[in-house]
mmCIF file of all heavy atoms in Angstrom:
data_model
loop_
_atom_site.group_PDB
_atom_site.id
_atom_site.type_symbol
_atom_site.label_atom_id
_atom_site.label_comp_id
_atom_site.label_asym_id
_atom_site.label_seq_id
_atom_site.Cartn_x
_atom_site.Cartn_y
_atom_site.Cartn_z
ATOM 1 N N PRO A 19 93.529 126.702 108.229
ATOM 2 C CA PRO A 19 94.408 125.561 108.473
ATOM 3 C C PRO A 19 95.711 125.664 107.681
ATOM 4 O O PRO A 19 95.729 126.186 106.565
ATOM 5 C CB PRO A 19 93.609 124.346 108.005
ATOM 6 C CG PRO A 19 92.266 124.835 107.629
ATOM 7 C CD PRO A 19 92.297 126.311 107.577
ATOM 8 N N ALA A 20 96.776 125.152 108.290
ATOM 9 C CA ALA A 20 98.091 125.133 107.634
ATOM 10 C C ALA A 20 98.863 123.934 108.193
ATOM 11 O O ALA A 20 98.389 123.251 109.105
ATOM 12 C CB ALA A 20 98.836 126.433 107.902
ATOM 13 N N TYR A 21 100.038 123.698 107.624
ATOM 14 C CA TYR A 21 100.867 122.571 108.053
ATOM 15 C C TYR A 21 102.300 123.018 108.270
ATOM 16 O O TYR A 21 102.864 123.746 107.456
ATOM 17 C CB TYR A 21 100.845 121.452 107.006
ATOM 18 C CG TYR A 21 99.480 120.852 106.846
ATOM 19 C CD1 TYR A 21 98.587 121.379 105.934
ATOM 20 C CD2 TYR A 21 99.073 119.785 107.638
ATOM 21 C CE1 TYR A 21 97.317 120.854 105.796
ATOM 22 C CE2 TYR A 21 97.798 119.253 107.512
ATOM 23 C CZ TYR A 21 96.925 119.793 106.583
ATOM 24 O OH TYR A 21 95.664 119.280 106.464
ATOM 25 N N ILE A 22 102.887 122.549 109.370
ATOM 26 C CA ILE A 22 104.300 122.746 109.673
ATOM 27 C C ILE A 22 105.000 121.470 109.239
ATOM 28 O O ILE A 22 104.565 120.380 109.601
ATOM 29 C CB ILE A 22 104.495 122.963 111.181
ATOM 30 C CG1 ILE A 22 103.889 124.306 111.602
ATOM 31 C CG2 ILE A 22 105.969 122.869 111.563
ATOM 32 C CD1 ILE A 22 103.810 124.488 113.101
ATOM 33 N N SER A 23 106.083 121.590 108.459
ATOM 34 C CA SER A 23 106.820 120.379 108.088
ATOM 35 C C SER A 23 108.314 120.597 108.215
ATOM 36 O O SER A 23 108.834 121.667 107.920
ATOM 37 C CB SER A 23 106.463 119.919 106.673
ATOM 38 O OG SER A 23 106.907 120.844 105.729
ATOM 39 N N ALA A 24 108.987 119.554 108.703
ATOM 40 C CA ALA A 24 110.444 119.560 108.849
ATOM 41 C C ALA A 24 110.901 118.127 109.041
ATOM 42 O O ALA A 24 110.241 117.342 109.723
ATOM 43 C CB ALA A 24 110.861 120.409 110.052
ATOM 44 N N GLY A 25 111.992 117.777 108.419
ATOM 45 C CA GLY A 25 112.583 116.462 108.604
ATOM 46 C C GLY A 25 111.665 115.309 108.239
ATOM 47 O O GLY A 25 111.723 114.256 108.857
ATOM 48 N N GLY A 26 110.789 115.498 107.266
ATOM 49 C CA GLY A 26 109.897 114.439 106.833
ATOM 50 C C GLY A 26 108.640 114.284 107.671
ATOM 51 O O GLY A 26 107.800 113.437 107.384
ATOM 52 N N LEU A 27 108.486 115.074 108.721
ATOM 53 C CA LEU A 27 107.300 115.020 109.573
ATOM 54 C C LEU A 27 106.465 116.274 109.370
ATOM 55 O O LEU A 27 106.998 117.323 109.035
ATOM 56 C CB LEU A 27 107.704 114.910 111.044
ATOM 57 C CG LEU A 27 108.560 113.705 111.414
ATOM 58 C CD1 LEU A 27 109.017 113.816 112.857
ATOM 59 C CD2 LEU A 27 107.804 112.409 111.184
ATOM 60 N N SER A 28 105.156 116.160 109.588
ATOM 61 C CA SER A 28 104.312 117.349 109.483
ATOM 62 C C SER A 28 103.311 117.386 110.633
ATOM 63 O O SER A 28 102.991 116.366 111.234
ATOM 64 C CB SER A 28 103.589 117.389 108.137
ATOM 65 O OG SER A 28 102.658 116.351 108.044
ATOM 66 N N MET A 29 102.834 118.596 110.925
ATOM 67 C CA MET A 29 101.889 118.831 112.005
ATOM 68 C C MET A 29 100.883 119.866 111.526
ATOM 69 O O MET A 29 101.274 120.881 110.937
ATOM 70 C CB MET A 29 102.629 119.376 113.234
ATOM 71 C CG MET A 29 101.725 119.801 114.357
ATOM 72 S SD MET A 29 102.510 120.746 115.709
ATOM 73 C CE MET A 29 104.199 120.314 115.657
ATOM 74 N N ARG A 30 99.624 119.605 111.770
ATOM 75 C CA ARG A 30 98.598 120.574 111.408
ATOM 76 C C ARG A 30 98.613 121.713 112.429
ATOM 77 O O ARG A 30 98.848 121.496 113.621
ATOM 78 C CB ARG A 30 97.239 119.883 111.377
ATOM 79 C CG ARG A 30 96.175 120.735 110.738
ATOM 80 C CD ARG A 30 94.896 119.946 110.592
ATOM 81 N NE ARG A 30 93.859 120.861 110.144
ATOM 82 C CZ ARG A 30 93.064 120.629 109.143
ATOM 83 N NH1 ARG A 30 93.149 119.505 108.479
ATOM 84 N NH2 ARG A 30 92.139 121.510 108.794
ATOM 85 N N CYS A 31 98.338 122.927 111.956
ATOM 86 C CA CYS A 31 98.252 124.094 112.825
ATOM 87 C C CYS A 31 97.206 125.044 112.246
ATOM 88 O O CYS A 31 96.595 124.742 111.226
ATOM 89 C CB CYS A 31 99.615 124.778 112.948
ATOM 90 S SG CYS A 31 100.225 125.504 111.409
ATOM 91 N N ARG A 32 97.013 126.171 112.902
ATOM 92 C CA ARG A 32 96.133 127.212 112.364
ATOM 93 C C ARG A 32 96.956 128.471 112.171
ATOM 94 O O ARG A 32 97.680 128.893 113.077
ATOM 95 C CB ARG A 32 94.977 127.499 113.313
ATOM 96 C CG ARG A 32 93.996 126.341 113.362
ATOM 97 C CD ARG A 32 92.603 126.736 113.771
ATOM 98 N NE ARG A 32 91.889 127.552 112.808
ATOM 99 C CZ ARG A 32 91.299 127.093 111.685
ATOM 100 N NH1 ARG A 32 91.385 125.827 111.366
ATOM 101 N NH2 ARG A 32 90.635 127.903 110.900
ATOM 102 N N LEU A 33 96.832 129.052 110.998
ATOM 103 C CA LEU A 33 97.472 130.327 110.686
ATOM 104 C C LEU A 33 96.529 131.408 111.186
ATOM 105 O O LEU A 33 95.424 131.566 110.669
ATOM 106 C CB LEU A 33 97.699 130.425 109.180
ATOM 107 C CG LEU A 33 98.383 131.663 108.643
ATOM 108 C CD1 LEU A 33 99.776 131.820 109.230
ATOM 109 C CD2 LEU A 33 98.462 131.581 107.130
ATOM 110 N N LEU A 34 96.926 132.115 112.243
ATOM 111 C CA LEU A 34 96.041 133.092 112.876
ATOM 112 C C LEU A 34 96.115 134.458 112.219
ATOM 113 O O LEU A 34 95.108 135.121 112.034
ATOM 114 C CB LEU A 34 96.377 133.217 114.359
ATOM 115 C CG LEU A 34 96.212 131.934 115.170
ATOM 116 C CD1 LEU A 34 96.678 132.165 116.599
ATOM 117 C CD2 LEU A 34 94.783 131.439 115.123
ATOM 118 N N ASN A 35 97.330 134.895 111.914
ATOM 119 C CA ASN A 35 97.501 136.162 111.213
ATOM 120 C C ASN A 35 98.826 136.151 110.473
ATOM 121 O O ASN A 35 99.690 135.325 110.752
ATOM 122 C CB ASN A 35 97.381 137.362 112.168
ATOM 123 C CG ASN A 35 98.418 137.355 113.254
ATOM 124 O OD1 ASN A 35 99.604 137.226 112.996
ATOM 125 N ND2 ASN A 35 97.979 137.500 114.486
ATOM 126 N N VAL A 36 98.956 137.041 109.501
ATOM 127 C CA VAL A 36 100.138 137.030 108.651
ATOM 128 C C VAL A 36 100.469 138.442 108.185
ATOM 129 O O VAL A 36 99.586 139.295 108.066
ATOM 130 C CB VAL A 36 99.913 136.076 107.442
ATOM 131 C CG1 VAL A 36 98.844 136.618 106.507
ATOM 132 C CG2 VAL A 36 101.189 135.797 106.693
ATOM 133 N N SER A 37 101.758 138.687 107.975
ATOM 134 C CA SER A 37 102.232 139.924 107.359
ATOM 135 C C SER A 37 103.258 139.514 106.312
ATOM 136 O O SER A 37 103.523 138.325 106.122
ATOM 137 C CB SER A 37 102.883 140.845 108.397
ATOM 138 O OG SER A 37 104.175 140.376 108.741
ATOM 139 N N SER A 38 103.856 140.474 105.655
ATOM 140 C CA SER A 38 104.881 140.147 104.659
ATOM 141 C C SER A 38 106.132 139.571 105.316
ATOM 142 O O SER A 38 106.917 138.884 104.673
ATOM 143 C CB SER A 38 105.235 141.387 103.840
ATOM 144 O OG SER A 38 105.742 142.396 104.686
ATOM 145 N N GLU A 39 106.318 139.814 106.615
ATOM 146 C CA GLU A 39 107.521 139.390 107.324
ATOM 147 C C GLU A 39 107.362 138.149 108.194
ATOM 148 O O GLU A 39 108.343 137.505 108.530
ATOM 149 C CB GLU A 39 108.023 140.534 108.215
ATOM 150 C CG GLU A 39 108.378 141.795 107.461
ATOM 151 C CD GLU A 39 109.657 141.652 106.668
ATOM 152 O OE1 GLU A 39 110.627 141.115 107.203
ATOM 153 O OE2 GLU A 39 109.668 142.094 105.512
ATOM 154 N N GLY A 40 106.117 137.831 108.599
ATOM 155 C CA GLY A 40 105.941 136.709 109.510
ATOM 156 C C GLY A 40 104.492 136.404 109.783
ATOM 157 O O GLY A 40 103.598 136.916 109.119
ATOM 158 N N ALA A 41 104.265 135.550 110.789
ATOM 159 C CA ALA A 41 102.911 135.104 111.102
ATOM 160 C C ALA A 41 102.822 134.623 112.541
ATOM 161 O O ALA A 41 103.836 134.402 113.200
ATOM 162 C CB ALA A 41 102.522 133.964 110.163
ATOM 163 N N ALA A 42 101.588 134.448 112.994
ATOM 164 C CA ALA A 42 101.319 133.811 114.282
ATOM 165 C C ALA A 42 100.537 132.540 114.001
ATOM 166 O O ALA A 42 99.594 132.533 113.203
ATOM 167 C CB ALA A 42 100.532 134.738 115.200
ATOM 168 N N LEU A 43 100.944 131.460 114.652
ATOM 169 C CA LEU A 43 100.330 130.161 114.467
ATOM 170 C C LEU A 43 99.790 129.648 115.789
ATOM 171 O O LEU A 43 100.351 129.938 116.846
ATOM 172 C CB LEU A 43 101.370 129.144 113.957
ATOM 173 C CG LEU A 43 102.236 129.558 112.786
ATOM 174 C CD1 LEU A 43 103.319 128.510 112.552
ATOM 175 C CD2 LEU A 43 101.392 129.752 111.552
ATOM 176 N N GLU A 44 98.734 128.859 115.728
ATOM 177 C CA GLU A 44 98.247 128.136 116.897
ATOM 178 C C GLU A 44 98.562 126.671 116.651
ATOM 179 O O GLU A 44 98.198 126.127 115.603
ATOM 180 C CB GLU A 44 96.753 128.347 117.081
ATOM 181 C CG GLU A 44 96.232 127.725 118.362
ATOM 182 C CD GLU A 44 94.786 128.064 118.579
ATOM 183 O OE1 GLU A 44 93.957 127.676 117.725
ATOM 184 O OE2 GLU A 44 94.482 128.708 119.584
ATOM 185 N N VAL A 45 99.252 126.048 117.594
ATOM 186 C CA VAL A 45 99.699 124.660 117.435
ATOM 187 C C VAL A 45 99.195 123.810 118.597
ATOM 188 O O VAL A 45 98.957 124.327 119.688
ATOM 189 C CB VAL A 45 101.244 124.576 117.353
ATOM 190 C CG1 VAL A 45 101.774 125.328 116.144
ATOM 191 C CG2 VAL A 45 101.897 125.104 118.610
ATOM 192 N N PRO A 46 99.033 122.489 118.369
ATOM 193 C CA PRO A 46 98.582 121.615 119.455
ATOM 194 C C PRO A 46 99.581 121.554 120.614
ATOM 195 O O PRO A 46 99.193 121.550 121.772
ATOM 196 C CB PRO A 46 98.452 120.240 118.799
ATOM 197 C CG PRO A 46 98.487 120.466 117.334
ATOM 198 C CD PRO A 46 99.165 121.774 117.109
ATOM 199 N N ASP A 47 100.876 121.513 120.291
ATOM 200 C CA ASP A 47 101.917 121.412 121.316
ATOM 201 C C ASP A 47 103.193 122.072 120.800
ATOM 202 O O ASP A 47 103.869 121.523 119.935
ATOM 203 C CB ASP A 47 102.180 119.945 121.649
ATOM 204 C CG ASP A 47 103.130 119.776 122.828
ATOM 205 O OD1 ASP A 47 103.825 120.745 123.199
ATOM 206 O OD2 ASP A 47 103.176 118.666 123.375
ATOM 207 N N PRO A 48 103.546 123.242 121.315
ATOM 208 C CA PRO A 48 104.718 123.956 120.805
ATOM 209 C C PRO A 48 106.046 123.242 121.038
ATOM 210 O O PRO A 48 107.031 123.556 120.371
ATOM 211 C CB PRO A 48 104.678 125.300 121.524
ATOM 212 C CG PRO A 48 103.821 125.089 122.713
ATOM 213 C CD PRO A 48 102.861 123.985 122.373
ATOM 214 N N THR A 49 106.083 122.265 121.936
ATOM 215 C CA THR A 49 107.349 121.557 122.163
ATOM 216 C C THR A 49 107.754 120.723 120.944
ATOM 217 O O THR A 49 108.911 120.347 120.822
ATOM 218 C CB THR A 49 107.285 120.643 123.409
ATOM 219 O OG1 THR A 49 106.244 119.692 123.236
ATOM 220 C CG2 THR A 49 107.048 121.450 124.671
ATOM 221 N N PHE A 50 106.815 120.437 120.044
ATOM 222 C CA PHE A 50 107.123 119.665 118.838
ATOM 223 C C PHE A 50 107.392 120.532 117.614
ATOM 224 O O PHE A 50 107.563 120.024 116.513
ATOM 225 C CB PHE A 50 105.993 118.671 118.531
ATOM 226 C CG PHE A 50 105.862 117.600 119.567
ATOM 227 C CD1 PHE A 50 104.781 117.572 120.427
ATOM 228 C CD2 PHE A 50 106.844 116.622 119.702
ATOM 229 C CE1 PHE A 50 104.665 116.591 121.401
ATOM 230 C CE2 PHE A 50 106.740 115.635 120.675
ATOM 231 C CZ PHE A 50 105.649 115.623 121.524
ATOM 232 N N VAL A 51 107.413 121.851 117.785
ATOM 233 C CA VAL A 51 107.675 122.756 116.665
ATOM 234 C C VAL A 51 109.178 123.002 116.588
ATOM 235 O O VAL A 51 109.772 123.526 117.521
ATOM 236 C CB VAL A 51 106.915 124.093 116.846
ATOM 237 C CG1 VAL A 51 107.252 125.047 115.711
ATOM 238 C CG2 VAL A 51 105.418 123.847 116.911
ATOM 239 N N PRO A 52 109.818 122.622 115.456
ATOM 240 C CA PRO A 52 111.258 122.866 115.322
ATOM 241 C C PRO A 52 111.549 124.361 115.158
ATOM 242 O O PRO A 52 110.658 125.134 114.802
ATOM 243 C CB PRO A 52 111.626 122.094 114.049
ATOM 244 C CG PRO A 52 110.354 121.933 113.299
ATOM 245 C CD PRO A 52 109.243 121.953 114.299
ATOM 246 N N SER A 53 112.775 124.767 115.417
ATOM 247 C CA SER A 53 113.121 126.187 115.335
ATOM 248 C C SER A 53 113.078 126.711 113.891
ATOM 249 O O SER A 53 112.826 127.882 113.670
ATOM 250 C CB SER A 53 114.481 126.445 115.957
ATOM 251 O OG SER A 53 115.464 125.673 115.308
ATOM 252 N N ASP A 54 113.315 125.836 112.913
ATOM 253 C CA ASP A 54 113.219 126.189 111.495
ATOM 254 C C ASP A 54 112.353 125.144 110.807
ATOM 255 O O ASP A 54 112.541 123.946 111.036
ATOM 256 C CB ASP A 54 114.601 126.191 110.832
ATOM 257 C CG ASP A 54 115.475 127.305 111.361
ATOM 258 O OD1 ASP A 54 115.237 128.455 110.983
ATOM 259 O OD2 ASP A 54 116.378 127.002 112.155
ATOM 260 N N PHE A 55 111.413 125.585 109.976
ATOM 261 C CA PHE A 55 110.520 124.645 109.307
ATOM 262 C C PHE A 55 109.880 125.287 108.089
ATOM 263 O O PHE A 55 110.074 126.475 107.834
ATOM 264 C CB PHE A 55 109.435 124.154 110.270
ATOM 265 C CG PHE A 55 108.570 125.251 110.836
ATOM 266 C CD1 PHE A 55 107.433 125.685 110.168
ATOM 267 C CD2 PHE A 55 108.896 125.849 112.045
ATOM 268 C CE1 PHE A 55 106.642 126.699 110.688
ATOM 269 C CE2 PHE A 55 108.108 126.863 112.578
ATOM 270 C CZ PHE A 55 106.978 127.281 111.899
ATOM 271 N N GLN A 56 109.114 124.494 107.353
ATOM 272 C CA GLN A 56 108.336 125.010 106.234
ATOM 273 C C GLN A 56 106.879 125.058 106.667
ATOM 274 O O GLN A 56 106.385 124.144 107.332
ATOM 275 C CB GLN A 56 108.471 124.121 105.008
ATOM 276 C CG GLN A 56 109.846 124.225 104.375
ATOM 277 C CD GLN A 56 109.896 123.477 103.053
ATOM 278 O OE1 GLN A 56 109.276 122.455 102.879
ATOM 279 N NE2 GLN A 56 110.662 124.012 102.121
ATOM 280 N N LEU A 57 106.196 126.131 106.283
ATOM 281 C CA LEU A 57 104.785 126.305 106.577
ATOM 282 C C LEU A 57 104.028 126.300 105.256
ATOM 283 O O LEU A 57 104.375 127.041 104.339
ATOM 284 C CB LEU A 57 104.560 127.637 107.300
ATOM 285 C CG LEU A 57 103.106 127.999 107.602
ATOM 286 C CD1 LEU A 57 102.556 127.099 108.707
ATOM 287 C CD2 LEU A 57 103.006 129.455 108.012
ATOM 288 N N MET A 58 103.011 125.436 105.148
ATOM 289 C CA MET A 58 102.200 125.396 103.937
ATOM 290 C C MET A 58 100.751 125.680 104.305
ATOM 291 O O MET A 58 100.192 125.018 105.180
ATOM 292 C CB MET A 58 102.264 124.038 103.247
ATOM 293 C CG MET A 58 101.449 124.034 101.953
ATOM 294 S SD MET A 58 101.430 122.455 101.102
ATOM 295 C CE MET A 58 100.270 121.544 102.120
ATOM 296 N N THR A 59 100.159 126.657 103.641
ATOM 297 C CA THR A 59 98.750 126.940 103.863
ATOM 298 C C THR A 59 97.913 125.899 103.127
ATOM 299 O O THR A 59 98.250 125.492 102.015
ATOM 300 C CB THR A 59 98.385 128.352 103.372
ATOM 301 O OG1 THR A 59 98.772 128.484 102.010
ATOM 302 C CG2 THR A 59 99.068 129.420 104.207
#
Side-chain angles (χ1 to χ4, degrees):
Y21 295 89
I22 292 169
S23 67
L27 301 173
S28 67
M29 173 191 336
R30 192 174 172 131
C31 66
R32 290 205 68 78
L33 181 60
L34 299 176
N35 61 51
V36 67
S37 76
S38 61
E39 300 288 316
L43 311 172
E44 186 174 62
V45 298
D47 187 344
T49 59
F50 294 110
V51 177
S53 58
D54 293 285
F55 60 87
Q56 289 188 325
L57 177 71
M58 182 182 76
T59 55

